[in-house]
Amino acid sequence: GLGGFGMGVSQFDFFGIKGRGDRIAILVDVSESMAEEAKGGEKGFARVKRKLGEVVDALSEQALFNVVVFADAASTFKPDMIIGSKENKAAAKGFIQPFNTGGNWGLTSGNVQGSSIGLQARGGTTRLDLALTAAFELNADTILVISDGLPRVQKQPTGDELAAWNARMEAWNRDNAGAMAAHAKAMERYREELSKANVKTKQVKVWVPGRERREGQAAVEAHWETRNVTEGAPARPAGPQPPQMPDNLKWWSLDDFIKHFTALHNELYVKKGKKLPVVHTIGYEIDKDGGDFLRTFTKTYKGQYRRVGN
């Protein structure tokens, strides 16, 4: 419930999403991409942090809160929920402030570990899973999230999934043994021809088109680039291409994400007779895939989703 007798209930305005709670966890994506030039750079992210500071300042002094930052890892401001005193609020804002300023980009290590409950992960980027795990373990009743990207959580395949994949690879190796042997011989001839060839290297300017931000990669502006180009070399023979492990064995899907947190909330909320947390999310300059992900996850936990720009 929201605060028992209501003594600690706090109103909030989270980038236009209004609500209340008495155990509030604020989850902040501090990935480098949050401070990309297309999003206003460091100044744009500084505005985000100032707005988050206003959210923290507006919390009731009797409410409990915590802050969790996440990128390639996740860290909590404090190990437990703390009261909304002026001193704690000032310290929480100080905790957020250094990220993506003065070369302090992203977050590669943190104090949040994955839970033994639910699905297991081997790493990834935009680790919203870790930040949410921290919020669930803090027994937050209200979770406020701001992020600009789709979580990319590396999956730990089950024994059956790995066995099926290994069997597929063994079958491929058997079926392509002749082609691989032929390619090995072709590579020997190629190396011999390359040693005799009159290979020259020259520098050329190449126009590189722009590219929007991708998961784990920054956006690229269109530009000229100088590259080394070789002439006179024989063509490198192409060999048979083995199958690539499918995404459903490499990365958590949205269904995996929801399955994991269902297991977590059953253990940490349902079994203890507590209501599930309400999750509100802000998509900061987010793309369609990321926005669809946050919107669906938010709906699962009865919250609101908004996309905001810089």
Side-chain angles (χ1 to χ4, degrees):
L2 291 174
F5 294 105
M7 293 299 292
V9 173
S10 177
Q11 304 288 333
F12 61 80
D13 183 342
F14 185 58
F15 294 84
I17 296 176
K18 297 180 180 181
R20 62 178 189 155
D22 69 286
R23 296 180 64 88
I24 298 174
I26 303 172
L27 281 48
V28 185
D29 187 346
V30 295
S31 303
E32 293 183 42
S33 57
M34 292 287 286
E36 286 178 349
E37 288 303 318
K39 298 172 185 173
E42 287 188 40
K43 291 182 178 179
F45 192 53
R47 286 192 287 272
V48 170
K49 289 186 288 188
R50 282 198 296 272
K51 178 60 178 177
L52 289 168
E54 293 172 6
V55 174
V56 170
D57 281 337
L59 296 176
S60 165
E61 290 194 6
Q62 295 183 20
L64 298 173
F65 82 103
N66 208 332
V67 176
V68 188
V69 293
F70 65 97
D72 295 346
S75 277
T76 58
F77 165 50
K78 295 291 184 181
D80 301 301
M81 287 288 190
I82 55 175
I83 62 170
S85 66
K86 291 182 180 179
E87 294 78 12
N88 285 340
K89 290 177 181 180
K93 291 187 292 182
F95 172 68
I96 299 170
Q97 183 56 38
F99 289 100
N100 290 335
T101 59
N104 182 33
W105 301 108
L107 181 70
T108 57
S109 63
N111 59 22
V112 179
Q113 303 298 317
S115 174
S116 60
I117 304 167
L119 305 181
Q120 299 305 298
R122 296 192 297 169
T125 59
T126 313
R127 297 297 305 274
L128 177 57
D129 62 305
L130 290 178
L132 283 168
T133 294
F136 275 47
E137 291 177 342
L138 288 165
N139 283 150
D141 64 22
T142 305
I143 301 173
L144 310 177
V145 181
I146 182 167
S147 180
D148 73 335
L150 185 71
R152 198 70 163 159
V153 183
Q154 192 173 3
K155 192 173 182 178
Q156 178 67 59
T158 66
D160 289 344
E161 289 172 333
L162 283 176
W165 173 251
N166 290 335
R168 180 182 174 187
M169 288 302 300
E170 289 174 3
W172 186 91
N173 288 328
R174 287 195 304 270
D175 294 343
N176 291 272
M180 289 190 290
H183 179 251
K185 290 182 179 180
M187 285 298 297
E188 290 179 6
R189 293 193 295 271
Y190 165 76
R191 285 189 284 268
E192 183 177 349
E193 292 173 6
L194 186 62
S195 66
K196 298 176 181 178
N198 183 23
V199 180
K200 296 180 180 179
T201 301
K202 66 177 183 179
Q203 290 187 332
V204 297
K205 283 192 173 182
V206 178
W207 176 251
V208 179
R211 184 188 71 206
E212 293 183 356
R213 187 187 67 80
R214 301 173 183 170
E215 185 60 39
Q217 298 180 347
V220 175
E221 294 185 0
H223 63 282
W224 286 99
E225 190 170 287
T226 301
R227 297 180 180 175
N228 291 327
V229 177
T230 58
E231 295 178 342
R236 185 186 182 92
Q241 297 299 308
Q244 299 297 307
M245 183 177 281
D247 278 352
N248 70 309
L249 295 185
K250 293 191 295 183
W251 307 105
W252 282 14
S253 65
L254 173 59
D255 286 343
D256 289 329
F257 214 87
I258 292 174
K259 180 180 178 181
H260 173 74
F261 282 98
T262 297
L264 214 60
H265 78 225
N266 282 336
E267 189 69 26
L268 299 176
Y269 289 85
V270 176
K271 288 184 178 181
K272 297 179 180 180
K274 298 179 179 180
K275 292 183 179 180
L276 298 187
V278 176
V279 180
H280 301 295
T281 59
I282 295 295
Y284 176 63
E285 294 283 2
I286 202 167
D287 60 19
K288 183 179 183 303
D289 288 344
D292 288 346
F293 179 95
L294 289 183
R295 184 183 294 107
T296 303
F297 189 79
T298 299
K299 187 176 180 180
T300 301
Y301 286 93
K302 312 301 182 185
Q304 299 178 56
Y305 165 79
R306 282 194 70 203
R307 185 186 188 280
V308 301
N310 174 49

